[in-house]
């Protein structure tokens, strides 16, 4: 799959309270959560996001709480992909599990500015900065993660496993 | 080549015979836990997965603690979803509003034993490493998968060892050690890794302090925090919990660590993490005198009996500063009752502090204690991100219970020695 979009850039340690403030955690409807995406970072940020936009973050993106509401809000707001120097571990699992493409690439972080247009090939992790005519290679996804993504997320993956009577190998 | 305690627990929960950091393994889970935040999303995903039953109803707990007692309609619906789920699927280990905080209930009720592998729908699930268990937090969909299958995939984390030496000074405890440590390695210093706490200082720590340390391992990005069980652990399990059968694992002498950090804590003063990162560690003397509006004592980090006793020692025969709202919330109903029995609650009320219902609301700006624009709090909780406890311009300073109590009296950040 080829993803293309306009970039919003963030620094290191963007935490889940910034992505989705705690006061909204009793909401579980993705469309409602999307209305508050990044509100803890900037109050009017939700209005700025357009379908297909790409987030580029520094190290430890999504640190803090285990709230899946954070990647759900990002995805439901229309963000097509997050590229970061590195991800916090729970955020990474959550993103993959709900089908939000995530790529780790420190060079891309350095070579992409806010407002650039970026294209990503999710199959091989090739990131092209169309604005600057440069390209970067993200860490390829491990096979088991590709399996989950191929199934359409963890829900479909487990559904298939439950259907099959053979030994579970989650 | 030997293994660490974490690696040994993982090995005993997987089919694979050898493991090394970076391996992806499937593990059998001993116990799972969820709450009124991660739970409703998990329930939705669980049903979408087509699951008909929870893998083992005896090995799951549902604890409603984040927006309880129901803050508003949305919270009420979330709690109702969980209540209905517990009834429909027969989850008996169900704790409704006011029972306590998940990470306190979990060990209090004996759902955590040394050597267990526990997965929870909350990032502070790492707490149970204080008893020598492997425990880590996941999001809602991951948890739904474990609810259905009783298994989860994990990447074997690389191992970091922290050795604490010297004589621990007065007023310094587990909270100070962990804030200091995060200050040294940074908030991503243990990202994806294990933090194994050891050394003579750790051996001398009470169980409560050990739980506090492991609780905040996530604040350095860790997958788990862990402390080898010892006589104190065994005594706690036997006397407090009434459980004597479990598996004790210890790290081999030739276990492999990616790095070992040694800290001599003999001259450490109480630590305060200043806004807006748990890694902004400072000695309390560097920040004394900063005016505050609120003090919060409690949470999954510092809401246990020992924490309340420490706060009471400071607040006894003292008054909370008239400009400060002091909120104290015991970690569970059991702790609340014991605090009543010991007269701690009397001390708090007489000092002018208020007692809140056991729960998580204050810590994450959920409800009960939200900060207004520009307000500042000293809190024994675990996070001080931008807007964590309310308005984006409000500030949270993280500390141990004694520093928080002393600050409540002085109306400014204070060292406990200033009031006793």
């Amino acid at each position: 799959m080829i993803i293309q979009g306009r970039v919003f850039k963030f620094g290191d340690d963007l935490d889940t309270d910034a992505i989705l403030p705690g006061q909204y955690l009793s909401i579980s409807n993705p469309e409602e959560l999307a209305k508050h995406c990044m509100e803890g970072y900037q109050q009017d940020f939700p209005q700025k996001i357009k379908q297909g936009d790409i987030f580029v973050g520094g190290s430890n993106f999504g640190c803090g709480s285990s709230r899946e509401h954070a990647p759900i809000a990002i995805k439901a707001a229309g963000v097509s992909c997050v590229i970061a120097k590195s991800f916090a571990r729970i955020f990474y699992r959550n993103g993959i599990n709900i089908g939000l493409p995530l790529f780790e690439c420190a060079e891309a972080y350095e070579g992409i500015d806010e407002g650039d247009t970026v294209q990503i090939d999710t199959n091989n992790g090739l990131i092209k900065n169309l604005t600057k005519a440069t390209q970067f290679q993200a860490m390829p996804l491990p096979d088991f993660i590709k399996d989950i993504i191929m199934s359409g997320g963890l829900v479909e993956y487990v559904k298939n496993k439950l259907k099959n009577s053979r030994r579970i190998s989650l | 080549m030997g293994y660490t305690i974490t690696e040994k627990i993982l090995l005993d929960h997987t089919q694979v015979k050898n493991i090394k950091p970076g391996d992806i393994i499937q593990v059998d889970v001993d116990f799972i836990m969820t709450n009124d935040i991660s739970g409703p999303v998990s329930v939705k995903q669980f049903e979408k997965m087509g699951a008909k039953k929870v893998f083992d109803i005896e090995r799951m707990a549902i604890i409603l603690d984040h927006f309880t007692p129901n803050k508003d309609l949305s919270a009420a619906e979330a709690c109702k979803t969980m209540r209905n789920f517990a009834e429909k699927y027969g989850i008996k280990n169900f704790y409704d509003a006011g029972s306590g905080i998940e990470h306190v209930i979990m060990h209090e009720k004996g759902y955590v034993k040394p050597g267990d592998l526990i997965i929870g729908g909350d990032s502070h699930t790492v707490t149970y490493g204080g008893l020598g268990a492997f425990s880590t937090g996941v999001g809602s969909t991951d948890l739904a998968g474990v609810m259905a299958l009783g298994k989860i995939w994990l990447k074997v984390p690389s191992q970091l060892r922290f050795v604490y030496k010297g004589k621990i000074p007065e007023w310094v405890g587990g909270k100070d050690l962990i804030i200091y440590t995060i200050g040294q390695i940074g908030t991503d210093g243990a990202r994806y890794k294990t933090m194994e706490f050891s050394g003579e200082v750790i051996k001398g720590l009470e169980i409560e302090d050990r739980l506090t340390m492991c609780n905040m391992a996530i604040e350095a990005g860790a997958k788990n925090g862990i402390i080898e069980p010892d006589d104190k652990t065994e005594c706690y399990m036997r006397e407090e919990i009434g459980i004597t059968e479990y598996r004790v694992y210890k790290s081999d002498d030739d276990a492999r660590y990616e790095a070992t950090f040694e800290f001599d804590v003999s001259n450490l003063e109480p630590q305060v993490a200043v806004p807006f990162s748990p890694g902004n560690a400072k000695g309390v003397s560097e920040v004394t005198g900063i005016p505050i509006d609120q003090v919060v004592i409690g949470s999954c980090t510092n809401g246990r009996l020992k924490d309340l006793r420490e706060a009471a020692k400071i607040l006894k025969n003292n008054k909370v500063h008239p400009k400060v709202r002091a909120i104290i919330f015991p970690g569970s109903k059991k702790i609340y009752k014991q605090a009543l029995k010991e007269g701690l609650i009397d001390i708090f009320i007489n000092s002018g502090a208020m007692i809140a219902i056991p729960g998580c609301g204050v810590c994450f700006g959920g409800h009960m204690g939200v900060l207004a624009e520009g307000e500042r709090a000293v809190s024994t909780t675990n996070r001080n991100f931008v807007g964590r406890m309310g308005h984006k311009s409000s500030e949270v300073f993280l500390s141990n219970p004694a520093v928080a109590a002393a600050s409540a009296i002085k109306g400014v950040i204070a060292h406990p020695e200033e009031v006793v």
Side-chain angles (χ1 to χ4, degrees), chain B residues 9 13 30-33 58-61 63 93 95 101-120 124-136 207 211 214 225-227 229 233-234 236-238 240-247 304:
Chain B
I9 296 174
H13 286 81
D30 290 312
F31 207 95
I32 56 174
M33 180 276 300
E58 303 294 329
R59 292 196 275 156
M60 177 174 185
I63 302 165
N93 305 321
Y95 297 89
I101 299 169
E102 51 196 351
H103 306 306
V104 176
I105 297 227
M106 280 291 286
H107 62 85
E108 226 176 56
K109 297 288 176 187
Y111 302 146
V112 177
K113 301 190 298 297
D116 279 358
L117 193 154
I118 294 166
I119 300 292
H124 291 109
T125 302
V126 288
T127 307
Y128 324 140
L131 290 170
F134 175 94
S135 57
T136 195
I207 295 299
L211 293 165
C214 292
I226 200 158
I227 294 171
T233 320
E234 285 178 29
Y236 173 85
M237 290 305 298
R238 190 178 59 240
E240 299 286 328
I241 313 298
I243 292 179
T244 50
E245 284 194 27
Y246 44 82
R247 294 154 294 179
R304 299 183 179 82

Side-chain angles (χ1 to χ4, degrees), chain B residues 33-40 43 60-70 75-87 91 93-103 105 122 331-333 357-361 364 367-368:
Chain B
M33 180 276 300
T34 187
N35 56 43
D36 53 316
I37 286 186
S38 59
V43 164
M60 177 174 185
I62 297 174
I63 302 165
L64 308 187
D65 57 1
H66 275 66
F67 281 117
T68 50
N70 304 341
E77 294 296 339
C79 288
K80 191 174 158 191
T81 300
M82 296 318 292
R83 228 169 264 129
N84 290 347
F85 180 87
E87 198 175 315
I91 308 297
N93 305 321
F94 176 79
Y95 297 89
D96 214 319
S99 303
I101 299 169
E102 51 196 351
H103 306 306
I105 297 227
D122 188 275
S332 70
K333 211 175 254 183
I357 295 157
C360 317
F364 72 102
H367 67 150
M368 299 193 295

Side-chain angles (χ1 to χ4, degrees), chain A residues 13 15-18 21-30 33 38-44 59-61 63-69 72 85-94 96-98 104 139 142-145 148 153-163 167-170, chain B residues 15 24-26 36-38 40-41 44-46 48-52 66-67 71-72 74-75 78 120-123 136-146 148-149 151-155 187-188 191-193 218-223 276-277 364-366 383 385-388 390 392:
Chain A
D13 295 317
D15 62 75
T16 51
D17 279 85
Q23 57 184 298
Y24 303 119
L25 289 178
S26 57
I27 303 170
S28 51
N29 178 318
L33 289 170
M38 303 300 291
E39 206 177 284
Y41 175 77
Q42 210 174 75
Q43 197 64 36
D44 60 350
S59 61
N60 209 19
F61 187 98
C63 63
S65 120
S66 66
R67 62 190 70 166
E68 199 161 299
H69 309 61
I72 291 174
K85 271 184 174 172
S86 63
F87 291 96
R89 81 161 259 283
I90 305 178
F91 184 91
Y92 187 78
R93 292 185 71 113
N94 287 347
I96 298 296
N97 285 343
I98 63 158
E104 290 197 340
M139 294 254 295
D143 287 345
F144 77 97
I145 286 182
I148 293 174
L154 191 69
V155 168
E156 291 302 316
Y157 185 80
V158 174
K159 203 181 201 172
N160 295 338
K161 292 285 172 201
L162 286 173
K163 267 189 220 154
R167 205 179 131 261
I168 294 158
S169 58
L170 177 61
Chain B
Q15 304 293 323
I24 285 158
I25 55 169
Q26 175 192 287
D36 53 316
I37 286 186
S38 59
V41 180
K44 213 192 281 179
Q45 302 292 62
F46 179 79
K48 270 199 227 161
M49 285 169 180
K52 297 283 179 283
H66 275 66
F67 281 117
K71 176 208 176 196
D72 53 21
S74 166
D122 188 275
S123 61
T136 195
V138 296
S140 300
T141 303
D142 259 335
L143 193 83
V146 193
L149 304 174
K151 296 169 191 290
I152 192 169
W153 66 263
L154 295 173
K155 187 150 92 175
T187 47
D188 68 346
R191 204 173 52 87
Y192 268 88
K193 298 170 185 174
I218 179 70
E219 275 27 281
K223 173 173 248 162
F276 290 101
S277 165
F364 72 102
R383 288 185 180 137
F385 301 146
V386 172
R388 174 69 178 181
K392 270 198 266 303

Side-chain angles (χ1 to χ4, degrees), chain A residues 6-156:
Chain A
R6 175 190 61 149
V7 166
F8 282 109
K9 196 172 174 184
F10 309 97
D12 293 342
D13 295 317
L14 186 82
D15 62 75
T16 51
D17 279 85
I19 299 170
L20 201 274
Q23 57 184 298
Y24 303 119
L25 289 178
S26 57
I27 303 170
S28 51
N29 178 318
E31 285 68 38
E32 283 300 310
L33 289 170
K35 291 179 188 165
H36 305 290
C37 178
M38 303 300 291
E39 206 177 284
Y41 175 77
Q42 210 174 75
Q43 197 64 36
D44 60 350
F45 204 93
Q47 289 89 56
K48 295 183 183 175
I49 307 172
K50 294 201 172 56
Q51 192 66 35
D53 284 349
I54 290 170
F55 281 4
V56 175
S59 61
N60 209 19
F61 187 98
C63 63
S65 120
S66 66
R67 62 190 70 166
E68 199 161 299
H69 309 61
I72 291 174
I74 292 176
K75 192 183 176 201
V79 173
S80 58
C81 174
V82 184
I83 301 166
K85 271 184 174 172
S86 63
F87 291 96
R89 81 161 259 283
I90 305 178
F91 184 91
Y92 187 78
R93 292 185 71 113
N94 287 347
I96 298 296
N97 285 343
I98 63 158
L100 173 67
L102 305 176
F103 287 93
E104 290 197 340
C105 184
E107 296 76 26
Y109 178 79
E110 305 301 340
I112 297 173
D113 290 315
E114 175 121 349
D116 287 355
T117 298
V118 164
Q119 197 182 70
I120 299 136
D121 184 337
T122 58
N123 296 319
N124 58 20
L126 188 69
I127 302 170
K128 289 181 179 167
N129 186 339
L130 301 181
T131 306
K132 295 191 166 65
T134 49
Q135 63 178 45
F136 314 94
Q137 183 62 53
M139 294 254 295
L141 297 173
D143 287 345
F144 77 97
I145 286 182
K146 278 189 188 152
D147 281 351
I148 293 174
I149 291 173
M150 292 279 278
S151 310
L154 191 69
V155 168
E156 291 302 316

Side-chain angles (χ1 to χ4, degrees), chain B residues 1 19 56 89 130 189 204 212 224 264 287 314 380 395:
Chain B
M1 190 59 80
I19 56 169
D56 184 346
Y89 291 91
T212 302
N224 71 313
D264 187 327
V287 287
I314 305 282
T380 69
E395 296 180 339

